Amino acid sequence: MQDALRSHIERKIPLTDEEFAATMPFFHVRKLKRRQFLLQQGEVCRYESFVVGGCLKSYHTDERGDDHILRFSVEDWWAGDLDSFLHHTPSTISIEALEPVTLLVIDQPGLEQLYREVPKMETFFRMLNENALIATSRRVIADLSLPARERYERFLTTYPQIAQRIPLKDIAAFLGITPVFLSRLRREQAGF
Amino acid sequence: MQDALRSHIERKIPLTDEEFAATMPFFHVRKLKRRQFLLQQGEVCRYESFVVGGCLKSYHTDERGDDHILRFSVEDWWAGDLDSFLHHTPSTISIEALEPVTLLVIDQPGLEQLYREVPKMETFFRMLNENALIATSRRVIADLSLPARERYERFLTTYPQIAQRIPLKDIAAFLGITPVFLSRLRREQAGF
DNA sequence: CATTTCGCTGAACCCAGGTTAAGAAATCCG
DNA sequence: CGGATTTCTTAACCTGGGTTCAGCGAAATG
């Protein structure tokens, strides 16, 4: 399990055994059952969580009660609300397990101390956030410039593995359309 | 002008005179006239640019030729395409001066060397990207959950200064609606 | 295994926001 | 300054996607 984290980190930046040994104690294991919450909208997000196994959705619930999914986190991804985590403000999202989930979590004081003790880990998180920023910016572009059907097609090709594991209504909540309409898109698509 | 950059950095992290002196040479000044491009979609983005004065828009042009504005960068903000800058890939956005602009720019080898020579600057850019990620994620939430009129109202209250300086058609391109429709929103709003 | 619940589909109808066009206002530039 | 260009507004009409409701199969729950 620690292996999963180590090889994940080393995909960006090599670590010595000592560095990894110094890093590991800052993390601890957490398990969630299906439908259990890692974070509920309104709470302060205390942990950044590395997903060892399983799948979660991060979503915002608007005033009308509609859910809007920001991202799905599967093996080798991270889950958390950075704003709430860093600034100790109530989070604007909930994070919920779609499958049984195993996590390695770190809290904010821990992360800061980790940066001091293992500077390479600051570099690692810098790169991680760079990538997250790039992915999020791509999503803004797609949301602004593509109609629903193309966002759906792009989702299918970009995350084929994820698309299989996830109910249609959650994909709809991710794309920003209703399940009814997504069902319609599928049917039309099947036509050819 | 260097003062602008220094106090910008020190708003996140204090620097000694030596650290700042070591930092400054990695930046150089660049000026743009109104309508001049800092980056054109398809080019590789060679610089991260700190805005000393003026205002720019970063926008994506879709296949149909429609522009979608991702952000406006004014004094004390940054402009650039992180994905293209880091990975030397053709950029998916253009960046254009809306007013005469003064920049302090740094290239990618320079930035990497800066991280090595002044580690605090890596911390600074980590924090900078954290904030950018938070802002971009907020935007995704807003795009997914708010109708056009509320996105407009939020834009007005969040960036009142910027809203003044910018033509309506650019605000529309930022909100993802047509100028015609934005004009309609304004009229209805004026009604009360 | 009976039953309630939940997710998916289909069809009819509706509305926010887009499109087109044309005039008024502002801004640019010789 | 005066013509040209660009921007803003208004109005009439159009469409992508939402909403509602109904039926139906697959899971969860007892």
Side-chain angles (χ1 to χ4, degrees), chain B residues 145-163:
Chain B
S145 41
L146 300 178
R149 102 128 357 99
E150 282 163 50
R151 278 175 359 247
Y152 174 54
E153 283 161 10
R154 176 175 298 213
F155 176 76
L156 289 183
T157 57
T158 313
Y159 308 104
Q161 352 72 335
I162 297 187

Side-chain angles (χ1 to χ4, degrees), chain A residues 5-22:
Chain A
L5 181 57
R6 180 162 189 176
S7 67
H8 170 71
I9 295 168
E10 297 210 300
R11 222 165 297 144
K12 295 215 164 57
I13 186 164
L15 293 181
T16 64
D17 288 347
E18 296 74 48
E19 284 166 335
F20 185 66

Side-chain angles (χ1 to χ4, degrees), chain B:
Chain B
M1 181 162 58
Q2 340 229 123
D3 292 349
L5 180 57
R6 180 164 191 175
S7 67
H8 171 70
I9 296 168
E10 297 211 301
R11 222 165 297 144
K12 296 215 162 58
I13 186 166
L15 294 181
T16 65
D17 288 347
E18 296 73 47
E19 283 166 337
F20 185 67
T23 298
M24 229 13 246
F26 288 99
F27 287 89
H28 67 271
V29 178
R30 176 134 183 233
K31 294 193 183 249
L32 300 176
K33 296 178 194 158
R34 193 167 132 71
R35 298 206 180 184
Q36 203 175 341
F37 286 86
L38 172 57
L39 176 68
Q40 300 216 40
Q41 193 165 328
E43 293 175 358
V44 170
C45 176
R46 293 246 145 56
Y47 305 100
E48 274 300 316
S49 305
F50 173 73
V51 182
V52 178
C55 174
L56 308 102
K57 60 177 175 184
S58 304
Y59 61 96
H60 170 78
T61 306
D62 68 23
E63 318 82 60
R64 295 217 315 276
D66 295 334
D67 291 346
H68 305 276
I69 296 181
L70 299 177
R71 84 182 124 281
F72 300 103
S73 307
V74 295
E75 298 78 17
D76 255 0
W77 295 50
W78 293 76
D81 177 347
L82 191 62
D83 193 6
S84 173
F85 178 79
L86 292 174
H87 305 130
H88 313 294
T89 51
S91 136
T92 55
I93 65 172
S94 300
I95 306 180
E96 184 184 338
L98 291 173
E99 305 169 352
V101 161
T102 305
L103 306 166
L104 285 167
V105 310
I106 185 168
D107 63 22
Q108 206 250 344
L111 186 58
E112 280 184 8
Q113 205 186 331
L114 175 59
Y115 289 161
R116 270 177 259 122
E117 293 191 16
V118 187
K120 267 191 205 165
M121 288 303 293
E122 175 159 18
T123 301
F124 169 75
F125 276 97
R126 170 179 61 77
M127 297 170 107
L128 197 67
N129 282 332
E130 283 170 356
N131 290 340
L133 179 53
I134 290 167
T136 308
S137 302
R138 286 216 187 101
R139 172 147 195 197
V140 172
I141 292 179
D143 285 353
L144 287 173
S145 41
L146 300 178
R149 102 128 357 99
E150 282 163 50
R151 278 175 359 247
Y152 174 54
E153 283 161 10
R154 176 175 298 213
F155 176 76
L156 289 183
T157 57
T158 313
Y159 308 104
Q161 352 72 335
I162 297 187
Q164 305 308 28
R165 290 160 71 169
I166 286 178
L168 167 148
K169 60 156 192 154
D170 283 332
I171 296 178
F174 177 86
L175 296 173
I177 58 179
T178 58
V180 176
F181 187 62
L182 178 51
S183 181
R184 210 147 92 194
L185 289 182
R186 269 193 178 169
R187 171 171 22 128
E188 288 163 24
Q189 187 145 312
F192 294 73

Side-chain angles (χ1 to χ4, degrees), chain A residues 42-186:
Chain A
E43 293 176 359
V44 170
C45 176
R46 293 246 146 55
Y47 304 98
E48 273 302 314
S49 304
F50 173 73
V51 183
V52 178
C55 175
L56 309 101
K57 60 177 175 183
S58 305
Y59 61 96
H60 169 77
T61 306
D62 68 24
E63 317 83 60
R64 295 217 316 274
D66 296 334
D67 291 346
H68 306 276
I69 296 182
L70 299 178
R71 80 181 129 283
F72 300 104
S73 307
V74 293
E75 299 77 19
D76 255 1
W77 295 49
W78 293 76
D81 177 348
L82 191 62
D83 193 6
S84 173
F85 178 78
L86 292 174
H87 305 131
H88 312 293
T89 50
S91 136
T92 55
I93 65 173
S94 299
I95 305 180
E96 184 184 339
L98 291 173
E99 305 168 354
V101 161
T102 306
L103 305 167
L104 285 168
V105 310
I106 185 169
D107 63 21
Q108 205 250 343
L111 186 58
E112 279 183 8
Q113 205 185 331
L114 176 59
Y115 289 161
R116 270 177 259 120
E117 292 189 19
V118 187
K120 267 190 204 166
M121 288 304 292
E122 175 158 19
T123 301
F124 169 74
F125 276 97
R126 168 179 62 76
M127 296 170 108
L128 197 67
N129 281 332
E130 283 170 355
N131 290 339
L133 178 53
I134 289 166
T136 308
S137 302
R138 285 215 188 100
R139 171 148 193 197
V140 172
I141 291 179
D143 286 352
L144 287 172
S145 40
L146 300 179
R149 101 131 353 101
E150 283 164 49
R151 279 178 354 249
Y152 175 54
E153 283 161 8
R154 175 174 300 213
F155 175 77
L156 289 183
T157 58
T158 313
Y159 308 104
Q161 352 73 335
I162 298 187
Q164 307 307 29
R165 292 160 69 170
I166 287 179
L168 169 148
K169 60 157 192 155
D170 283 333
I171 296 178
F174 177 85
L175 296 172
I177 59 180
T178 58
V180 177
F181 187 61
L182 178 52
S183 180
R184 212 147 89 193
L185 288 182
R186 269 192 179 170

